[in-house]
Amino acid sequence: MKKIFPADQLARDERFVRLDTAERFNDPRTIRGSGSAGRMGRQLSPESPGAPDAARSLMHGIFVGEIQALEGAGRTCWDFDIGKGSDEVPFELKLDMARQCWDEARHCEISVKLSDWMGTELGEFAESVFLYEAACNPDPVLRLTGVNRALEGLAIDVFNTMREFGTKAGDPVLEFCEDWMLADEVTHVKMGSDWLRRLTADDPERRERALDFQRTVDKLFSLGGFRGETDENPIQLARKLRQMAGFSTDEIDELAEIALQAKADAEAMAAGAGGA
Ligand SMILES: [Fe+2]
Ligand SMILES: [Fe+2]
């Protein structure tokens, strides 16, 4: 069986619609879509204009992310031989990835049922495969920082925000689904934090490359004030849960800074476009 399986060959049935990430975020129903001016710039709450569509699209995005997280963790079990080389992994890392596969498979089932509960059809929103693409990195440490720390770290922020949204909306199904998946995601992010530190203990350059990859992914998904710590950010940075997942206070501060910078960059771009 081939190693580093290409993203364009992932198996999907006819319900799924694939778009690139920029196209997907231009869907006006999403929280970051071009028609979302009424939603961006404030926390997601049941009273926000367009909140039901924003919540449904966010959870559909999480659903396809769960499929890709399952595929990515499965590939990490397969793509690397056991050993100490830079393209090899300890057997225990494969065991962690196998456990993650089981969790993500369960999250897929929870997400399908939750989507149905929220009135969403599978494929109603598009799928982009950025998570799986990050899971194709040839260096296993970069895979775990890009996927487990950056993207599943984002999943912690989204699940925590959506759990609060479920509480405020008086929807216990949404609230408890988010809570159960959140508990697993904290574990997955912690796996990323632990393996990053273990595998790069004697290799500061590799650690820095991995953290750089994580910063790039984090910046991409903080774009335009999507995630942050102010009242203007629809998705709130979940500090306490990130600490439980092995992030230091300095790392969380840096992430908050990346989010602010991403917002400033987006505003500068918008001002430039408006003046043209
Ligand atoms: Fe998950
Ligand atoms: Fe996960």
Side-chain angles (χ1 to χ4, degrees), residues 7-251:
D8 60 5
Q9 290 179 30
L10 292 173
R12 296 287 184 275
D13 66 30
E14 64 283 353
R15 291 172 297 179
F16 290 80
V17 180
R18 176 97 40 104
L19 290 178
D20 70 33
T21 303
E23 288 173 325
R24 188 175 144 224
F25 287 140
N26 278 336
D27 181 337
R29 298 169 298 174
T30 68
I31 204 163
R32 292 177 34 163
S34 57
S36 65
R39 291 196 285 279
M40 287 296 284
R42 70 180 77 176
Q43 286 191 26
L44 185 65
S45 83
E47 296 81 39
S48 308
D53 271 355
R56 291 189 315 108
S57 74
L58 205 51
M59 289 323 299
H60 193 281
I62 288 287
F63 160 59
V64 293
E66 300 293 358
I67 301 173
Q68 292 171 41
L70 168 57
E71 291 166 323
R75 292 308 305 186
T76 299
C77 287
W78 172 256
D79 284 346
F80 304 105
D81 292 329
I82 295 164
K84 293 186 187 305
S86 62
D87 57 351
E88 295 173 324
V89 296
F91 179 65
E92 292 78 6
L93 185 149
K94 292 192 183 221
L95 286 182
D96 273 353
M97 292 296 102
R99 179 249 152 103
Q100 187 175 338
C101 284
W102 164 231
D103 290 343
E104 307 299 9
R106 213 160 4 84
H107 296 178
C108 288
E109 296 206 0
I110 292 172
S111 298
V112 167
K113 290 180 179 169
L114 180 58
S115 291
D116 188 45
W117 171 255
M118 294 174 84
T120 307
E121 303 237 338
L122 300 193
E124 188 177 335
F125 300 92
E127 174 183 19
S128 57
V129 286
F130 58 86
L131 191 149
Y132 182 79
E133 284 166 346
C136 290
N137 198 296
D139 184 334
V141 172
L142 269 67
R143 279 192 194 192
L144 266 82
T145 48
V147 176
N148 288 58
R149 298 198 93 217
L151 292 169
E152 301 203 70
L154 173 62
I156 285 181
D157 300 331
V158 171
F159 283 139
N160 189 48
T161 300
M162 289 302 293
R163 178 176 61 172
E164 287 172 8
F165 180 86
T167 309
K168 284 185 213 154
D171 182 346
V173 175
L174 179 59
E175 182 185 344
F176 289 124
C177 286
E178 303 294 346
D179 195 44
W180 291 327
M181 293 193 283
L182 181 54
D184 291 330
E185 298 308 342
V186 171
T187 306
H188 302 168
V189 178
K190 179 94 171 38
M191 286 173 185
S193 300
D194 289 347
W195 283 115
L196 166 69
R197 286 178 185 125
R198 259 181 251 171
L199 294 181
T200 63
D202 301 319
D203 191 344
E205 278 180 28
R206 191 182 186 196
R207 179 175 294 188
E208 202 41 48
R209 272 201 311 280
L211 289 171
D212 260 350
F213 185 51
Q214 185 185 325
R215 278 182 207 109
T216 302
V217 177
D218 275 329
K219 185 159 188 187
L220 185 62
F221 288 93
S222 297
L223 188 68
F226 170 66
R227 183 250 312 268
E229 290 189 292
T230 73
D231 286 346
E232 296 181 351
N233 305 116
I235 301 300
Q236 292 289 302
L237 194 57
R239 270 190 181 262
K240 190 165 166 229
L241 291 159
R242 280 176 173 274
Q243 272 168 356
M244 290 165 67
F247 275 71
S248 67
T249 304
D250 284 350
E251 285 179 322

